[in-house]
Amino acid sequence: ALAGKQIKVAGWMMPLENAAKQKRFVLLAYPPGCPFHFHAMPNQFIEVLVDTPVPVNERDPMVIQGTLQLTGMDESGIFYRLVRAQKL
């Protein structure tokens, strides 16, 4: 029911590139270094694509708003994608 709608999601950034600011990253339901969560399940993360790069911050949670896309589990294992997103 939320596919194609604007949503807000809170979580922790996991950068995908070696850069101080990220245009594409994964937002996790828990901190990336959490010793109690070794492997993320597909319903525990969302790929985020932002227009304005976001500074890397793996320590503090953040809120991101964007348009939800349901991928149908593509070959990357990603179920959810947030496009045209921005950090709030």
Side-chain angles (χ1 to χ4, degrees):
L2 295 175
K5 306 258 191 223
Q6 282 278 320
I7 65 166
K8 291 180 187 175
V9 180
W12 284 265
M13 174 190 272
M14 184 177 80
L16 296 176
E17 298 175 357
N18 187 16
K21 293 187 176 184
Q22 305 284 306
K23 286 192 78 160
R24 178 178 168 259
F25 57 92
V26 173
L27 202 64
L28 298 169
Y30 50 84
C34 180
F36 301 106
H37 297 92
F38 295 115
H39 302 288
M41 299 300 293
N43 64 341
Q44 295 176 317
F45 65 90
I46 185 168
E47 181 183 28
V48 178
L49 303 166
V50 295
D51 294 327
T52 304
V54 176
V56 171
N57 182 351
E58 298 176 51
R59 196 176 51 163
D60 301 316
M62 63 176 65
V63 178
I64 302 288
Q65 179 175 324
T67 303
L68 179 65
Q69 290 182 345
L70 305 179
T71 67
M73 188 174 157
D74 65 12
E75 65 276 356
S76 68
I78 293 173
F79 286 179
Y80 310 108
R81 185 173 290 127
L82 205 57
V83 297
R84 295 183 299 279
Q86 63 182 358
K87 182 180 177 212
L88 299 179

